[in-house]
Amino acid sequence: MDDFEKHLQPVDDGLPIRESNEYARYKLKALEIYIQITNTAMRDKPWAERYYIDLQAGPGKNKIGNEILLGSPLIALLNEYPFTQYRFNELNPELAQALQQRINTSPLHNRVKIYQKDANEVVTEICDEIRRVEKSKTKEQWSTLNLAFLDPEGLELHWSTVEQLAQISKMDFIINFSTSGIIRSIGANYVDAVNRFFGNADWQSGDLSGDIVKRRRSLIDIYLNQLKKLDYFIEIDPELGTHDISFKNSRNTEVYSLIFASKSQLGDKFWRQARKSSSPRRLPGFGD
Ligand SMILES: C[S@@+](CC[C@H](N)C(=O)[O-])C[C@H]1O[C@@H](n2cnc3c(N)ncnc32)[C@H](O)[C@@H]1O
């Protein structure tokens, strides 16, 4: 296999690869299973387009120790039943270029547009495009069906970005929520950044004083409540417990959570199936 043939495989192809932690494995597995379930069910329906949107896409490959895993954009692109459109964005120029080089080798490259912008700016352009598609669809076609994977490292994803996406009628979300990052930012008094992330200052009246386990849970619940206000369907599953997939450290504290939100009960059902097959209980090596 030469480097060109390796671009879409989980192997070293000489292009930049992002160092990740063990959590990325579970996050990506949940994404993959959800896409598999949803795209299998939706592929033959008359949607005007089915968009996959990844505003912080990375280079397309991750490394955990010595193991190389495909990143979120390639997982979505290589699914057995692909989306009809892909919009990827990555702020770091080297990572965006690596992603572009990898995508160029895919037979589906014509379905992909890659931007190298701030996630909170490019979102307007992508939403405008989807609205144009919906305006020009034929009578027989349904609306667009969209999945946005939002994968911030810290607080760089603004709530206004989530709100803009949510204005599209069928926009499902999978959002990476780093409770550790948020707690650190609160500790460092980055109040404005936390406000931009949550969309308001309500988090300040959450249970932030006491026990760390409760504190983290309270922040996730505040975010879920914000999504509810945008008409997202957030129900607690009696069998599975909380709505998100939470990744806990050895002290039973949520370190990261993966939040899913859909306005449809069917989307929610697919997520429950994905959760059952991808949830780890503890993350090895996470002590904080
Ligand atoms: C967690 S990584 C993405 C990993 C990728 N989604 C995956 O699972 O393979 C977050 C990415 O966001 C990029 N990034 C950071 N701030 C950004 C911003 N404001 N807008 C767009 N991308 C940003 C980083 O360079 C990094 O590659």
Side-chain angles (χ1 to χ4, degrees):
M1 217 192 303
D2 63 20
D3 278 353
F4 186 81
E5 288 165 333
K6 289 179 186 169
H7 282 342
L8 302 177
Q9 308 284 333
V11 295
D12 189 356
D13 55 6
L15 295 175
I17 295 181
R18 212 178 149 268
E19 296 279 342
S20 293
N21 58 37
E22 197 58 32
Y23 164 62
R25 183 192 309 283
Y26 300 109
K27 172 179 83 177
L28 293 169
K29 195 75 208 159
L31 175 73
E32 183 181 353
I33 297 174
Y34 178 76
I35 291 176
Q36 179 66 29
I37 295 170
T38 311
N39 288 14
T40 303
M42 296 298 164
R43 67 185 195 277
D44 292 330
K45 307 274 190 256
W47 301 106
E49 297 282 1
R50 288 182 293 109
Y51 275 88
Y52 172 80
I53 299 154
D54 200 326
L55 294 186
Q56 297 188 237
K61 293 193 188 186
N62 297 301
K63 196 169 187 179
I64 304 175
N66 289 326
E67 189 186 351
I68 295 174
L69 301 178
L70 293 179
S72 53
L74 294 192
I75 285 175
L77 190 67
L78 298 175
N79 192 269
E80 189 181 357
Y81 302 112
F83 292 85
T84 60
Q85 295 293 336
Y86 293 85
R87 298 296 173 265
F88 299 145
N89 179 62
E90 168 54 51
L91 188 58
N92 178 310
E94 277 167 34
L95 301 187
Q97 205 193 355
L99 180 60
Q100 184 72 65
Q101 277 179 263
R102 289 181 171 126
I103 298 290
N104 287 347
T105 66
S106 161
L108 298 183
H109 66 272
N110 288 338
R111 299 185 185 190
V112 181
K113 257 191 225 165
I114 302 180
Y115 303 87
Q116 192 246 306
K117 297 190 177 182
D118 187 300
N120 304 298
E121 289 169 12
V122 77
V123 64
T124 310
E125 216 169 311
I126 295 173
C127 289
D128 284 349
E129 177 190 322
I130 297 176
R131 269 189 284 271
R132 276 197 303 276
V133 169
E134 297 208 332
K135 265 197 186 147
S136 60
K137 73 179 184 60
T138 64
K139 265 198 237 139
E140 293 71 37
Q141 283 177 318
W142 295 357
S143 65
T144 60
L145 180 65
N146 311 287
L147 174 64
F149 182 50
L150 306 177
D151 193 10
E153 291 166 314
L155 295 180
E156 66 273 20
L157 174 69
H158 300 172
W159 180 253
S160 57
T161 299
V162 177
E163 269 179 332
Q164 277 202 62
L165 288 162
Q167 282 168 14
I168 309 274
S169 67
K170 293 209 161 33
M171 179 67 68
D172 295 336
F173 289 121
I174 297 181
I175 306 176
N176 176 27
F177 188 93
S178 162
T179 42
S180 294
I182 296 164
I183 295 266
R184 266 198 302 275
S185 300
I186 292 174
N189 220 12
Y190 294 145
V191 174
D192 289 347
V194 184
N195 286 349
R196 272 196 301 273
F197 178 80
F198 282 103
N200 58 39
D202 288 359
W203 58 273
Q204 294 182 28
S205 47
D207 188 0
L208 297 174
S209 52
D211 171 72
I212 183 85
V213 177
K214 281 198 199 136
R215 225 189 312 166
R216 289 181 193 241
R217 190 64 239 168
S218 147
L219 291 169
I220 299 167
D221 289 340
I222 289 169
Y223 203 81
L224 291 175
N225 254 327
Q226 287 283 82
L227 285 164
K228 261 191 195 175
K229 287 188 212 155
L230 298 177
D231 291 333
Y232 279 85
F233 183 79
I234 310 278
E235 288 280 305
I236 305 292
D237 184 313
E239 194 190 329
L240 294 171
T242 56
H243 188 81
D244 43 284
I245 300 181
S246 285
F247 301 85
K248 296 179 177 177
N249 65 13
S250 50
R251 277 175 266 144
N252 208 29
T253 306
E254 275 122 352
V255 193
Y256 298 99
S257 289
L258 204 55
I259 290 176
F260 173 81
S262 176
K263 291 177 192 158
S264 108
Q265 294 207 5
L266 185 59
D268 213 65
K269 184 177 147 208
F270 292 158
W271 178 245
R272 265 181 263 164
Q273 289 171 13
R275 279 186 64 177
K276 277 191 186 152
S277 337
S278 59
S279 287
R281 299 297 160 228
R282 289 281 177 284
L283 285 175
F286 277 82
D288 75 333

